[in-house]
Structures are given as C-alpha cells and as structure tokens.
Amino acid sequence: MYVLSKFAERYRAHSYVELVRRALGRKLSLLLSGVLVVAMFGACVAYLIILGDNLTSLAAAAGLPALVANRQHIVGFLGLCVMLPMCLPKNLGALAAMNQIAVLGFLVGAAMVSFRGMQIALQRPDLMAGVRLFEMDYDSLFAIPIVVFGFNCHAMVVSIFQELEVGGLPAPGLLLPAVLPSSPSAFRRWRYLPRPDSRKLVGMLGVIMSSTSLVLLAYAIVGITGYLAFPGYVSSNILVSFPQDDPLVQVARGTISLIILGSYPLTHHPARAGFQHLVRPRAASAAAVTAPSPLSEPLLEASQDPSVGVSPYVSIGFTLAFVLGSTAVAEVVTDLGFVLHLLGGLCITFIIFFLPGLLLINAAILKYARTVLSEVEGEADAYAAAAADSDGPREGVLIRMPSLNGRELTQPLLTKLQTAREKGIKKGLIYAPRLSWLFGITLLVISVLVAGVTLTTVILGD
C-alpha cells in the first residue's frame, strides 16, 4: 500500500488504473481495469452473501414473516434499495460517515465474536481438546488465498490517498506513538525502511501501519477464538457456526452487516474507475496521461477525473449492471469460501503483489539507467575536454567514449539503458542493482506462488 501511495504521489495519479497507465503503460492498465472489474464484482458478491446470511438470521430471530425473512428477498432489497443509491456518488468522501460507522462495527463485531467464541471454548473440560497448535498439510493451502483476500484494500489506496488533505491528516505520532517520526527527513537515516518524501506521505504511512495492525490483530483474535470454539469444523462464515438464537451473536451479525454496508460501495468505486478506463476513448485517455518523465519532472501534472471522456449515462449504466449482477449472483451462490478462495488467489494477488512489484522494478530501472548514463555522459564530456586541450585523443580512452545518440555505441547493455531511461520496464526487464529491484522481484515471486497454489487447489479440489 505504501508503494502504491508513493508512486501515486510521484505521478499525481488519482486512481490505481491511472497510476499503472502512467508508470507501466496502456496495455497493463487495460489488463488491470479488467481484473479490477472482475475482482471487485466478486468481492461485492461475497459481501452480499454475508449480508444475506446475517440479515436472514436476524429476521428469523425477530419473528418476522417468512416472506420478509426470505434470503432471496433480503438480498434483492439490499441490492436495489440500499447498495445502488450508495454506489452512485462519484467521490469516496460522500461515504465518509458510513465508513466511520463500518470501522466501529468491525471492532464491536470482532470483540463480540471473540468473546462468545472463548466462552464456548472454556465450557469444554479440556480447552485444548481437538486443537492442534500447528498443522501444515494440503488443506492448509486453501487458507492462503483467503488470507490474501482478507487484506484486500490496495485497489482503493490510490483514491483514498489523493483525497486525503495534509492539514486533515492525524500526526503519525498519534497513530503510532514513539515509533513513526513526523518529519520526512527523519526517515533518511534508515536504509531498509520506507523513505516518504512529503508530510502527506508520512501521514499515509501512519494510516497504513495503524490500520493494517488493527485489522491483523482483530483477524488473529477472531481466528484463534473461533478455532478454539469449533476445533472440529468451522464454517467459512464463522457466524453460521454459532447458535442462531444467541443474542450476543445476533448483535455481532448486525454490527458486521454495518461493515458490509460501507465496504460494498467502497469496493465498487475502483471497479467503476476501471470500467471507465476500458471504455474511455483512446484520445481522451492519452491526453489525460501526457506528462514529462518522472526522471526529469518528479511530480507530474495532476490528471483529470477518470470519468472524463465517458458519458455519465454509461457510468450510471455500469453501476446499475454491477449492482444488479452481483445481487443476482449472491441470490444463487451461497459458498462464501469458494468465492474468497478464487478471488484472493488470482485477481487480488495480481492487484496487491504483482503490479506493485512491477512498479518497484520500473523505478529501479529508471533510476539505474539515469545514473549509469549520467556517468557515461560525464566521461564523454571529460574526454572531449581532454581532447580539446591536447593534440588529440589519448590512446586507450576511445573505448570509454560510447556515443549517446546510438551511432557509435556498441555495448548492448548501454543501448538497453538508453531506452530504459525513457521507457523503463515497458521495453523489457533488465537487472538494476538496487533494493527496489530486489523487493519488486520478491513481490512477483510471491504473486506467482499464490496463484499457483490457488490453481492447484481449484483443479485438485478438496
């Protein structure tokens, strides 16, 4: 997430798709647009499945008529009357109040589920009966893509970062006291840690670290207590494993439903931006991304809204089709685990590992090419000056004078560097001895491994 925020600031991108278009090229941005539409659509289907399960149980517990408590009716009502109006606003700021409620609902719901799970576990004479502290087998592979999906927020990071105001950001010290400095210059002394260039990026780093730490802690507590409560088997939706008439669990279902109400429109936002990029006229798209190289101009001109060049009726039509489609699928599909498994292992992995890895490699190649060619230019200038001050070029120096216009250059590597200085990874992958290149390769390897695990488990099955 920090990688995406850093490059969003460098390229002044307002969406993930726009960032990839500026940094990695049009083809990858089109691929990302398609992946975003599919991934976010699947995520919204998963949200509606959870909402359907939770609200059906709440309606039955409240003694409502069967017509009202029917799962298909509830999902249909939520899609048409609740989600559709919430997905129409163009900016995420319009959803700020709902997202604050969703965060509170997440914390309260996690606390309630953990408390009830621990109570159930303590009722057994032996707390550890049937519990295995460590188990690594074929079935464990199914958890990897779901864990990846659990941290799926990268698609929205760029949009959220650009909507943050520097004056409105909390001080990093308030989020992570005595851990995160408040000044960008304080990060310069650390070699292997992020080095934000602005106060806004420092604030975003604090937001990322505090929010992911909070989510990780909540996930871990719910996972541990849920496993202790049901060591033999736990449903992919843990709330289904609890007694349906448990009042505390019913409250947890209500609060978690609030989370979904905020998450659905937030997830729809990058899907719509991706669709707008796909249907955007090429001339308008090219005009929006025309800017100097980041090597010559660190901050590019702010881009236009992603909907520029796209009819508002087309955007509204996409939102309508998106909501209606996800609602229809959620009424038929009830296996939440399969949806999360497939999405997390393929689409989400591409979004949170593969593309950030390419961005890091691209930055390393650009900087390495600039550095090497600057040294070559310096040597050429020094040679020219020495030749001018003497009777002619000194013997043995000519080989160190590659021409930068390509006519006298014979070394293939320098030829590639000349291209890489302007195009980066768009013209091919070259080795750049920098940490960002190594970290980028690591992310690419992780993405390939997770995708491989997902395909293997889908093909082979349980």
Side-chain angles (χ1 to χ4, degrees):
M1 288 187 287
Y2 172 77
V3 170
L4 296 178
S5 300
K6 182 179 181 66
F7 286 111
E9 182 178 60
R10 178 176 299 179
Y11 287 92
R12 292 277 179 96
H14 287 239
S15 69
Y16 197 166
V17 172
E18 183 184 355
L19 170 60
V20 172
R21 173 66 178 87
R22 285 177 175 267
L24 302 177
R26 183 173 180 270
K27 293 181 180 178
L28 268 179
S29 69
L30 291 175
L31 177 59
L32 173 60
S33 298
V35 170
L36 279 176
V37 172
V38 174
M40 300 303 102
F41 180 86
C44 287
V45 169
Y47 293 150
L48 285 174
I49 291 175
I50 298 173
L51 275 175
D53 293 340
N54 289 348
L55 297 184
T56 299
S57 178
L58 289 174
L64 297 178
L67 183 66
V68 178
N70 181 275
R71 184 182 181 278
Q72 280 72 26
H73 295 168
I74 290 176
V75 172
F77 173 81
L78 288 172
L80 293 176
C81 301
V82 180
M83 298 306 180
L84 182 58
M86 294 177 65
C87 290
L88 290 176
K90 294 176 58 177
N91 298 321
L92 296 176
L95 304 173
M98 176 56 69
N99 289 331
Q100 292 174 1
I101 297 175
V103 172
L104 179 61
F106 168 75
L107 296 177
V108 173
M112 290 181 176
V113 170
S114 301
F115 176 76
R116 184 62 80 208
M118 201 64 200
Q119 276 190 330
I120 294 175
L122 292 174
Q123 290 175 358
R124 296 198 305 269
D126 183 4
L127 176 64
M128 303 302 293
V131 175
R132 299 182 180 181
L133 296 181
F134 181 81
E135 182 177 5
M136 188 64 187
D137 55 16
Y138 173 74
D139 292 335
S140 303
L141 298 178
F142 285 86
I144 295 176
I146 296 178
V147 171
V148 172
F149 181 88
F151 289 90
N152 168 35
C153 49
H154 296 64
M156 290 79 77
V157 163
V158 174
S159 299
I160 293 174
F161 173 72
Q162 291 298 353
E163 291 193 14
L164 289 177
E165 296 293 339
V166 176
L169 281 172
L174 297 177
L175 297 170
L176 298 166
V179 175
L180 201 60
S182 58
S183 172
S185 60
F187 291 82
R188 303 299 179 190
R189 63 178 182 269
W190 295 324
R191 175 173 173 78
Y192 299 104
L193 294 179
R195 297 180 180 180
D197 300 320
S198 66
R199 175 69 177 81
K200 181 177 180 179
L201 199 54
V202 173
M204 187 64 182
L205 181 60
V207 171
I208 291 171
M209 294 179 65
S210 58
S211 59
T212 52
S213 299
L214 182 62
V215 170
L216 177 61
L217 179 63
Y219 281 170
I221 293 175
V222 172
I224 292 172
T225 56
Y227 179 53
L228 290 175
F230 311 104
Y233 172 79
V234 60
S235 172
S236 57
N237 182 356
I238 190 173
L239 295 176
V240 177
S241 299
F242 288 97
Q244 299 302 299
D245 57 350
D246 189 327
L248 187 63
V249 176
Q250 296 289 33
V251 175
R253 288 190 177 97
T255 55
I256 290 175
S257 297
L258 290 177
I259 304 173
I260 307 303
L261 290 176
S263 299
Y264 187 103
L266 191 66
T267 303
H268 162 268
H269 188 271
R272 182 172 59 193
F275 172 78
Q276 290 170 341
H277 182 73
L278 284 173
V279 301
R280 196 179 195 177
R282 185 166 184 175
S285 179
V289 299
T290 300
S293 167
L295 295 177
S296 59
E297 184 66 32
L299 293 179
L300 306 182
E301 292 298 322
S303 65
Q304 301 177 20
D305 187 271
S307 62
V308 170
V310 179
S311 169
Y313 297 105
V314 173
S315 298
I316 294 175
F318 169 79
T319 297
L320 183 62
F322 185 95
V323 174
L324 291 178
S326 60
T327 302
V329 174
E331 289 190 345
V332 177
V333 178
T334 59
D335 189 353
L336 179 63
F338 178 77
V339 174
L340 301 185
H341 179 84
L342 202 57
L343 286 176
L346 298 179
C347 296
I348 305 303
T349 296
F350 179 78
I351 294 171
I352 73 176
F353 290 128
F354 190 81
L355 287 181
L358 288 184
L359 287 170
L360 286 172
I361 294 173
N362 182 65
I365 291 175
L366 288 171
K367 193 165 186 178
Y368 177 65
R370 178 187 60 176
T371 301
V372 171
L373 292 178
S374 294
E375 293 177 357
V376 170
E377 290 173 345
E379 292 178 4
D381 292 341
Y383 173 85
D389 293 339
S390 62
D391 295 335
R394 291 170 294 173
E395 184 178 356
V397 179
L398 184 60
I399 194 172
R400 302 184 62 190
M401 262 195 70
S403 173
L404 296 180
N405 58 19
R407 295 177 181 175
E408 302 176 6
L409 193 61
T410 58
Q411 294 90 336
L413 175 60
L414 290 181
T415 302
K416 291 181 179 179
L417 289 175
Q418 284 183 329
T419 303
R421 179 167 59 176
E422 300 298 330
K423 300 296 184 179
I425 201 174
K426 299 175 187 177
K427 293 301 182 180
L429 178 66
I430 64 173
Y431 173 69
R434 306 189 63 84
L435 283 175
S436 55
W437 195 92
L438 178 61
F439 292 152
I441 290 294
T442 302
L443 290 178
L444 294 187
V445 172
I446 292 174
S447 69
V448 172
L449 291 176
V450 174
V453 167
T454 302
L455 292 175
T456 300
T457 51
V458 169
I459 294 173
L460 298 181
D462 295 334

